[in-house]
Amino acid sequence: MDFTVVLAMVLCALTVPGFGDTGSGKAQSCSDIRQFYSGKGFSLNGVPQSEMSGEHLRICPPGYTCCTNVMEDSLSNLSRTEIEGLIRDAGRALQASLNGQYKAFDGFFLELLNRSESVLPEFYTPALGFLYTQNTRVFSDLYTDLRRYYRGSNINLEEVLNEFWARLLERLFKGANGQYLIGDEYLECVSKQSETLRPFGDAPRDLKLRVTRTFVPARSFVQGLVVSGEVVRKVSQVPLSPECIRAIMRMTYCPHCRGLPSAKPCASYCANVLKGCLANQADLNTEWRNLADAMMQAASSFEGTSSVDVVVLTLPTRILEAITTMLDNMDTFNTKVFQACGNPREGGTSSTGLEDLKKRRMLTTKSMTSETRLEKLVSDVATKLREMQTYWVSLPSTLCSDRIATGAQANDKCWNGMNRARYLPEVMGDGLASQINNPEVEIDITKPDMTIRQQIMQLKIMTNRLKNAFNGNDVDFQDTSDEPSGSGSGMCTDENCPRGPRFMAPNTDRPKLYAYPPENKKVVKGSANHSLPTIGLYLLSLVTLLLWR
């Protein structure tokens, strides 16, 4: 046989289409995908019995297939639902962790306040007698205001403390001088003298420093936990783009359409798809880490000599010491007040309340601490905050390794978007700007997702509040009495949660235009190729044979 004839026969043989993984000359049965498709809850009406030409496919690569357009659309919607569900599930897991930290610290702090207030009758009644029993409202109002402040109410902590000392001074002065008729105008004059006479000694200034250093960071810390949980909830619900949905479908269900149901996506291929789909989410990384760092810094201030438990549990002791200081020096204080404000009129209900008080011995409160529990709480919080720092940039690899992609040991037998073969393109970086050359997902990097940009701004604002709080500067919050942190029920996790203010991040950079690369259609194909026969090669073979004859 002549060489030209042999050549023509070889060309013809090479162009005979292969089907499935076997390379046989017959169209493969679609029984596997029919079973798979039915198992996903879809009707088998219109599903082919055997493979057919795939020119009609809009998402999957060309080649012989068992999928119709209807099947491709159904599986595309399914893949979107599943991947969005995985993203929400991952977000819920992080929310649960943040909520656990919130509940642990919030419960601990409120328990300290409750314990501190509960000992007042036990300690103050024997020491102060009627001066306490007739003025319990002064002390209960202080604790109420401290709780409101911690919960985020828009009240000034320094004003709360100043008001407490002013009211306490009026009640003590009036009670210790029961033999006089003392009206509001006279008490106003007494209050003015307190600025120079300092009846409570250094207690008001010292207590203000201690309370501020404790309550300001504590309030900011729990607000940080609430805000970070809300950011996770909102960002985890951002819908996928149409380009991303196509890429997810090609990665997850196109192998089934090509008769390769056992081929899982290559790890690097999956990484590129999800890095593209979650590019906007990855841009949270910088501010997310900054917030975690600021929260860990705030948590570090809860320990030591001025720790949360020490400050809160010693409030009764420090206030009682201040009262003792005033009563011990009441004679001197009265003399100077009478000189400045005049002698009050006699005619009160008792000869003197001061004599009765001097017969009582001021009692020292018992020490109440919970250091071991606080140390463990702060340690647990710091550990969980460190773990969450890389959440947004780690999310693609976490989803791929846990639920989607094949292991690294199967690089030559995985689905690369075209066939079962090695995936060659490099893995893209993190964030929107790094996706300009992503071979799997077309992304307009000049159009960031505005919902996510708003959440980035929320993170920046919260981080600044935490830094200010750590430095001892009080920070203003909107009244959150109706927010989750004020309800005592933990952070919200559903669509019925109240929404906070929305912040828009200004775009200060001029948009840049980039050319997008073509889809990854040049990946090296495996031996099981379903390419359609090339008509030109048949014609070339026949023409060569005829010319020879």
Side-chain angles (χ1 to χ4, degrees):
M1 183 178 298
D2 292 329
F3 174 76
T4 306
V5 176
V6 174
L7 177 61
M9 295 176 64
V10 170
L11 288 173
C12 290
L14 288 175
T15 56
V16 174
F19 300 88
D21 281 314
T22 62
S24 65
K26 295 181 179 180
Q28 296 297 299
S29 169
C30 291
S31 58
D32 288 341
I33 194 170
R34 286 174 61 87
Q35 182 178 358
F36 165 80
Y37 193 69
S38 175
K40 292 293 183 180
F42 299 115
S43 170
L44 290 178
N45 292 336
V47 178
Q49 296 287 344
S50 59
E51 287 182 325
M52 59 184 175
S53 177
E55 295 96 336
H56 59 281
L57 296 176
R58 295 188 295 266
I59 301 176
C60 295
Y64 279 90
T65 182
C66 284
C67 288
T68 63
N69 288 139
V70 173
M71 294 172 65
E72 198 176 33
D73 291 341
S74 299
L75 292 174
S76 179
N77 291 331
L78 177 63
S79 65
R80 179 197 62 196
T81 301
E82 290 176 341
I83 196 67
E84 288 181 341
L86 292 178
I87 295 170
R88 284 194 297 270
D89 288 345
R92 289 191 187 102
L94 180 55
Q95 278 184 271
S97 176
L98 291 167
N99 197 23
Q101 296 172 58
Y102 166 82
K103 287 183 176 179
F105 185 85
D106 184 66
F108 174 78
F109 196 88
L110 292 177
E111 178 188 332
L112 291 178
L113 280 172
N114 292 338
R115 287 177 58 192
S116 179
E117 185 178 14
S118 68
V119 302
L120 294 180
E122 176 186 349
F123 292 158
Y124 284 17
T125 301
L128 300 176
F130 74 94
L131 275 184
Y132 173 70
T133 57
Q134 292 180 4
N135 297 291
T136 56
R137 181 70 178 271
V138 176
F139 301 96
S140 63
D141 284 351
L142 171 64
Y143 279 89
T144 298
D145 286 339
L146 290 177
R147 287 190 187 89
R148 290 180 59 222
Y149 174 84
Y150 166 72
R151 286 299 198 190
S153 295
N154 191 21
I155 58 178
N156 187 286
L157 185 59
E158 185 172 350
E159 291 178 359
V160 165
L161 295 173
N162 290 340
E163 176 67 16
F164 166 73
W165 290 115
R167 291 177 64 192
L168 184 60
L169 173 62
E170 292 177 0
R171 300 300 190 278
L172 290 177
F173 181 81
K174 195 171 182 178
N177 294 281
Q179 73 275 25
Y180 298 111
L181 292 173
I182 300 175
D184 291 341
E185 291 184 3
Y186 196 89
L187 287 177
E188 185 177 349
C189 181
V190 172
S191 297
K192 292 179 180 179
Q193 305 312 308
S194 66
E195 297 178 6
T196 56
L197 299 180
R198 299 172 61 231
F200 297 113
D202 292 332
R205 183 181 63 86
D206 292 342
L207 193 65
K208 183 181 73 173
L209 289 175
R210 288 176 175 273
V211 169
T212 299
R213 290 173 180 171
T214 298
F215 278 75
V216 173
R219 180 172 82 150
S220 300
F221 180 75
V222 294
Q223 286 280 340
L225 291 172
V226 172
V227 167
S228 57
E230 277 294 279
V231 168
V232 173
R233 182 181 68 83
K234 291 177 181 178
V235 173
S236 297
Q237 293 175 351
V238 172
L240 299 175
S241 67
E243 293 79 13
C244 175
I245 295 171
R246 290 175 57 87
I248 294 291
M249 166 60 188
R250 178 185 286 261
M251 178 178 69
T252 53
Y253 289 128
C254 283
H256 292 270
C257 289
R258 288 293 301 274
L260 302 170
S262 62
K264 296 188 68 176
C266 302
S268 296
Y269 171 44
C270 180
N272 272 345
V273 171
L274 291 190
K275 278 178 179 284
C277 289
L278 301 175
N280 281 282
Q281 286 84 339
D283 281 345
L284 287 159
N285 180 58
T286 299
E287 293 305 326
W288 183 258
R289 294 180 69 97
N290 289 342
L291 178 61
D293 288 339
M295 291 175 66
M296 285 189 286
Q297 189 179 41
S300 68
S301 68
F302 301 148
E303 298 179 298
T305 56
S306 299
S307 65
V308 168
D309 55 345
V310 172
V311 172
V312 175
L313 294 179
T314 58
L315 276 176
T317 303
R318 296 186 180 279
I319 294 173
L320 186 56
E321 289 173 351
I323 294 174
T324 303
T325 298
M326 178 178 177
L327 296 178
D328 286 346
N329 297 283
M330 183 61 77
D331 291 334
T332 303
F333 183 72
N334 278 350
T335 300
K336 293 183 178 181
V337 167
F338 294 165
Q339 290 175 353
C341 302
N343 293 323
R345 289 184 302 148
E346 294 187 3
T349 56
S350 62
S351 58
T352 174
L354 185 57
E355 293 177 359
D356 178 64
L357 289 170
K358 287 182 176 180
K359 294 178 183 179
R360 298 174 179 270
R361 295 187 59 85
M362 295 294 108
L363 304 180
T364 303
T365 59
K366 300 176 183 178
S367 175
M368 299 183 297
T369 60
S370 55
E371 294 179 1
T372 303
R373 181 181 172 189
L374 176 62
E375 290 176 358
K376 184 178 186 307
L377 176 63
V378 172
S379 176
D380 290 345
V381 167
T383 298
K384 291 177 180 178
L385 289 175
R386 278 192 292 269
E387 290 173 354
M388 81 175 198
Q389 279 186 303
T390 60
Y391 174 78
W392 296 110
V393 292
S394 300
L395 186 57
S397 60
T398 299
L399 294 177
C400 286
S401 60
D402 290 349
R403 304 292 297 272
I404 300 174
T406 186
Q409 68 276 10
N411 279 339
D412 293 328
K413 298 181 180 180
C414 54
W415 173 254
N416 64 11
M418 296 293 291
N419 265 308
R420 181 152 57 186
R422 182 179 293 271
Y423 183 76
L424 297 181
E426 65 176 342
V427 177
M428 298 292 100
D430 300 311
L432 190 62
S434 300
Q435 307 308 312
I436 184 172
N437 293 317
N438 192 315
E440 309 306 333
V441 188
E442 290 187 1
I443 300 175
D444 186 350
I445 67 173
T446 68
K447 296 180 179 179
D449 184 271
M450 291 312 299
T451 297
I452 293 178
R453 297 294 143 172
Q454 291 163 12
Q455 299 312 304
I456 291 175
M457 181 60 68
Q458 291 278 29
L459 294 175
K460 287 182 179 180
I461 293 172
M462 193 65 243
T463 299
N464 288 333
R465 286 173 174 170
L466 280 161
K467 289 180 178 178
N468 287 329
F470 181 77
N471 293 326
N473 300 320
D474 204 351
V475 288
D476 293 329
F477 293 107
Q478 69 177 52
D479 194 322
T480 55
S481 57
D482 294 329
E483 294 289 331
S485 63
S487 65
S489 59
M491 298 186 299
C492 3
T493 56
D494 56 48
E495 289 297 326
N496 295 322
C497 297
R499 299 293 188 266
R502 300 182 66 177
F503 297 91
M504 300 292 288
N507 184 7
T508 58
D509 296 327
R510 183 177 180 180
K512 300 176 182 178
L513 300 179
Y514 298 94
Y516 293 102
E519 286 187 324
N520 179 33
K521 296 180 180 179
K522 296 183 180 180
V523 179
V524 176
K525 297 179 175 60
S527 58
N529 195 341
H530 283 201
S531 299
L532 291 173
T534 304
I535 298 176
L537 291 177
Y538 279 122
L539 294 176
L540 177 62
S541 303
L542 292 175
V543 170
T544 303
L545 184 60
L546 291 174
L547 289 175
W548 179 257
R549 289 182 176 180

